[in-house]
C-alpha cells in the first residue's frame, strides 16, 4: 500500500505534479487491467495490476523525498487503489474463473459475481480503515488486515499462474472462489501483517543476505508467475499464523 498518506499535521494543501503523476500512472494500469480482463487478455491484465503495485509503492516515497505530501495526493491515491486493487482484481477473477459458475446454475452464477463484489467492498473498507488509522499503523510497524495491494497480488498472481500453465479458469473455480473470499476477509480482519516499515536499506546485513536475494531474483526470472504467487501466498498465510502465535504467547503470560 502506498505510503503517501500522512498525518493531518503533515498534510499540505495544493497539488504536486510528480507524485500525482505516478499515482495517475498506477490508475491507468488498473484501468488497463480492467479493459484487458474484459477482452479476455488475462495475463496482460494480471501484469498490469502488478505494475500498478510498483507505481503505488513509488508515489508515496517520491512525495516524501520531494517534500510534496498533500491531502489531495492522499485522497487521489486511495481512489486509485480502489480501482487498481479492488475493482480490477475482482473483475479479472470473475472474467477468468468465477463467471463459469453460471454454467452450473443461476444461483451459483450469482455467488460468483457476489464473491467478486465482496472482495471489492472489502477493499473499499480496508482503504477507509487505513486512512482513519494511518498514525497507528505507521507507528506500530504492522498492518491491521491484509493490505489491498497484497490482496490484489494474490488474486492477480493466481490468474497469471493459471494462464501461464494454460489452465482454464473454470477448472479452478473452487480455489478461485476461496481465494477471492479469503482475500476479502483478510483485508477487513484484525489479523496483523508485518508492514516492513522498519526495514531500512541503509542498515547492515549479513553477507548471506546478498546471495539469497540474488537467488530469489533468479527464481523469479525463471518462473515469474509461480514465484510471485508463492511469495504473496506465503505473506497472506503469515498473518493468521503470526496472530495465533501472539495469542498463545499472551495466554501463556496470563497463566503464569
Amino acid at each position: 500500500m502506498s505510503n503517501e498518506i500522512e498525518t493531518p499535521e503533515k498534510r499540505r494543501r495544493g497539488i504536486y505534479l510528480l507524485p500525482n503523476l505516478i499515482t495517475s500512472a498506477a490508475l491507468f494500469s488498473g484501468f488497463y487491467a480492467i479493459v484487458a480482463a474484459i477482452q479476455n487478455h488475462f495475463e496482460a491484465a494480471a501484469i498490469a495490476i502488478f505494475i500498478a503495485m510498483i507505481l503505488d509503492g513509488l508515489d508515496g516515497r517520491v512525495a516524501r523525498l520531494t517534500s510534496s505530501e498533500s491531502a489531495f495526493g492522499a485522497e487521489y491515491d486511495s481512489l486509485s487503489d480502489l480501482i487498481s486493487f479492488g475493482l480490477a482484481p475482482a473483475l479479472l477473477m470473475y472474467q477468468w474463473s468465477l463467471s463459469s459458475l453460471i454454467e452450473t446454475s443461476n444461483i451459483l452464477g450469482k455467488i460468483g459475481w457476489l464473491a467478486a463484489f465482496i472482495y471489492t467492498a472489502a477493499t473499499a473498507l480496508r482503504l477507509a480503515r487505513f486512512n482513519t488509522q494511518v498514525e497507528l499503523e505507521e507507528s506500530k510497524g504492522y498492518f491491521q488486515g491484509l493490505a489491498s495491494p497484497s490482496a490484489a497480488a494474490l488474486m492477480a498472481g493466481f490468474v497469471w499462474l493459471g494462464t501461464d500453465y494454460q489452465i482454464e479458469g473454470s477448472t479452478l473455480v473452487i480455489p478461485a472462489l476461496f481465494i477471492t473470499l479469503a482475500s476479502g476477509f483478510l483485508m477487513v480482519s484484525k489479523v496483523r501483517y508485518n508492514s516492513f516499515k522498519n526495514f531500512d536499506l541503509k542498515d547492515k546485513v549479513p553477507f548471506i543476505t546478498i546471495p539469497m536475494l540474488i537467488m530469489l531474483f533468479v527464481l523469479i526470472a525463471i518462473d515469474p508467475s509461480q514465484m510471485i504467487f508463492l511469495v504473496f501466498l506465503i505473506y497472506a498465510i503469515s498473518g493468521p499464523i503470526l496472530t495465533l502465535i501472539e495469542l498463545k504467547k499472551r495466554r501463556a503470560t496470563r497463566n503464569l
Side-chain angles (χ1 to χ4, degrees), residues 1-225:
M1 182 172 289
S2 172
N3 300 318
E4 186 174 347
I5 300 175
E6 299 292 336
T7 58
E9 292 78 12
K10 294 182 180 179
R11 290 181 181 177
R12 302 177 181 180
R13 294 183 179 181
I15 300 175
Y16 295 90
L17 177 61
L18 186 55
N20 290 300
L21 185 63
I22 298 175
T23 303
S24 298
L27 177 60
F28 175 82
S29 296
F31 181 79
Y32 176 83
I34 293 174
V35 174
I38 292 174
Q39 296 177 345
N40 294 334
H41 299 155
F42 302 122
E43 184 175 4
I47 293 174
I49 291 173
F50 282 107
I51 292 174
M53 279 186 60
I54 296 172
L55 294 170
D56 181 66
L58 288 175
D59 58 5
R61 289 171 174 79
V62 169
R64 285 196 303 274
L65 288 173
T66 57
S67 299
S68 54
E69 304 99 324
S70 67
F72 174 86
E75 298 300 327
Y76 185 33
D77 180 71
S78 292
L79 294 173
S80 173
D81 288 352
L82 180 58
I83 299 297
S84 300
F85 309 134
L87 187 58
L91 183 60
L92 172 60
M93 187 68 83
Y94 178 78
Q95 286 288 104
W96 179 68
S97 180
L98 298 180
S99 60
S100 64
L101 286 171
I102 199 171
E103 298 175 1
T104 304
S105 69
N106 289 331
I107 294 178
L108 289 177
K110 292 179 180 179
I111 291 176
W113 67 259
L114 282 172
F117 169 74
I118 289 172
Y119 173 87
T120 305
T123 305
L125 293 170
R126 174 68 180 86
L127 291 169
R129 186 176 67 181
F130 177 79
N131 290 348
T132 58
Q133 298 180 353
V134 60
E135 294 182 51
L136 176 64
E137 296 204 7
E138 290 284 349
S139 61
K140 295 295 184 179
Y142 62 81
F143 292 132
Q144 187 179 48
L146 184 64
S148 57
S150 298
L154 189 62
M155 297 271 285
F158 183 69
V159 175
W160 189 7
L161 182 64
T163 55
D164 198 28
Y165 283 86
Q166 298 181 349
I167 302 174
E168 292 293 331
S170 57
T171 305
L172 299 174
V173 66
I174 300 301
L177 184 63
F178 174 78
I179 289 176
T180 302
L181 294 175
S183 299
F185 170 76
L186 289 173
M187 278 193 287
V188 298
S189 70
K190 293 185 177 181
V191 174
R192 294 184 178 185
Y193 285 90
N194 193 330
S195 64
F196 302 103
K197 299 288 185 181
N198 299 326
F199 180 74
D200 191 351
L201 293 175
K202 297 179 182 178
D203 290 342
K204 294 181 179 180
V205 296
F207 174 78
I208 191 62
T209 304
I210 305 302
M212 289 178 63
L213 288 175
I214 294 174
M215 183 59 64
L216 178 62
F217 292 147
V218 170
L219 291 174
I220 292 176
I222 293 174
D223 196 337
S225 61

